[in-house]
Amino acid sequence: MKAVVRGAAVAAVLALALTACEDGSTTAGGAPTGRATADSPAEKGQGGGGSPAPTDHQGITPNFPPVSINATDMYAALPSDGSIETMSSGETIVIQDADALRGCAELTRSPCTAGIEVAGHKDMESRNPDGARVEFTLLAFAGKDEAATEMKALAEQKRKPGEADEHPVKSLKMNTGAEETEAFQHDNSIDVVMRVGSVVAYVMASDTSPDNAKYAAKLQIARVQAIAAGIDPDRG
């Protein structure tokens, strides 16, 4: 899966990543790891005029307003059709209130009563025969403390091995530009759990590399940051 970002606004958000992350500003599981490999789509930015994701020595600028999104924002914050050039998109699903509470509880395996307001989901599949798939889920809470609580609950769930796992779960060091990041590899799937402001972002990638999973996670965080800043992430 060779990911290519479209949209000048997302490129602008990524270009604002001025703060170095050498000090390990993300939480355990999300510390920077150095530059991406030469084969990473984050380095190549292939084709279509797409813009590369920030390198691991870049972080999201702290000058953004506090990050929160509503139901209308959720549609735009999730990746749009064509935002990853080599992948086709499924339906964007957004739910609120009691439905969001049930969805959050099912995902985190917790009561999820800590101020969940809206939830959204979108999946993408590779147009190539490699079978790669990426699922994006966003959970928006009333405040960042509530989001932090549920982010930890979700990360704890994803840290556990699944019934079909043939090997131990591997923790991955991954800098995504979020305030908190934890990432895990389960055989051929990768879970990335992140928080930015009052939004929890969860990216699940299968049949692809950690570099591609990281790229998708960075794209998701950049879109949430853009929406919170009043920028259309698909402009241009």
Side-chain angles (χ1 to χ4, degrees):
M1 180 183 71
K2 296 180 180 179
V4 178
V5 174
R6 291 190 179 277
V10 169
V13 171
L14 298 180
L16 287 173
L18 302 177
T19 305
C21 290
E22 299 280 357
D23 58 351
S25 58
T26 53
T27 61
T33 58
R35 294 186 60 83
T37 66
D39 291 332
S40 168
E43 289 295 314
K44 289 185 177 180
Q46 298 111 335
S51 301
T55 69
D56 285 346
H57 292 301
Q58 293 175 305
I60 298 299
T61 172
N63 296 323
F64 284 112
V67 174
S68 63
I69 57 177
N70 57 31
T72 301
D73 294 336
M74 184 70 77
Y75 282 98
L78 287 162
S80 61
D81 294 339
S83 59
I84 301 181
E85 188 178 66
T86 59
M87 304 198 85
S88 58
S89 300
E91 180 184 4
T92 298
I93 299 172
V94 175
I95 53 178
Q96 295 178 264
D97 304 325
D99 288 335
L101 177 60
R102 283 192 292 271
C104 175
E106 182 177 346
L107 182 65
T108 64
R109 297 293 192 269
S110 75
C112 207
T113 56
I116 179 70
E117 295 184 334
V118 58
H121 178 83
K122 184 153 192 170
D123 61 350
M124 290 186 168
E125 293 183 351
S126 175
R127 294 190 180 97
N128 301 319
D130 56 14
R133 179 182 178 89
V134 183
E135 295 187 22
F136 300 87
T137 301
L138 293 177
L139 305 172
F141 295 85
K144 66 178 184 180
D145 291 341
E146 294 94 331
T149 296
E150 294 305 329
M151 184 264 183
K152 289 178 174 60
L154 179 55
E156 185 61 30
Q157 282 300 315
K158 300 308 173 185
R159 185 179 288 110
K160 298 176 181 178
E163 292 181 0
D165 286 348
E166 296 181 358
H167 302 95
V169 176
K170 179 183 177 182
S171 293
L172 301 176
K173 293 183 178 181
M174 193 174 290
N175 174 28
T176 64
E179 294 172 42
E180 297 183 87
T181 300
E182 294 199 46
F184 312 96
Q185 184 162 11
H186 299 249
D187 290 336
N188 69 335
S189 68
I190 297 167
D191 297 303
V192 188
V193 183
M194 302 162 284
R195 183 190 64 81
V196 55
S198 62
V199 180
V200 173
Y202 168 52
V203 172
M204 192 282 287
S206 59
D207 296 311
T208 191
S209 69
D211 280 338
N212 282 325
K214 179 175 66 175
Y215 189 77
K218 285 185 175 184
L219 171 63
Q220 179 61 95
I221 293 300
R223 290 184 70 89
V224 172
Q225 290 278 23
I227 289 296
I231 299 171
D232 177 359
D234 296 309
R235 185 178 59 201

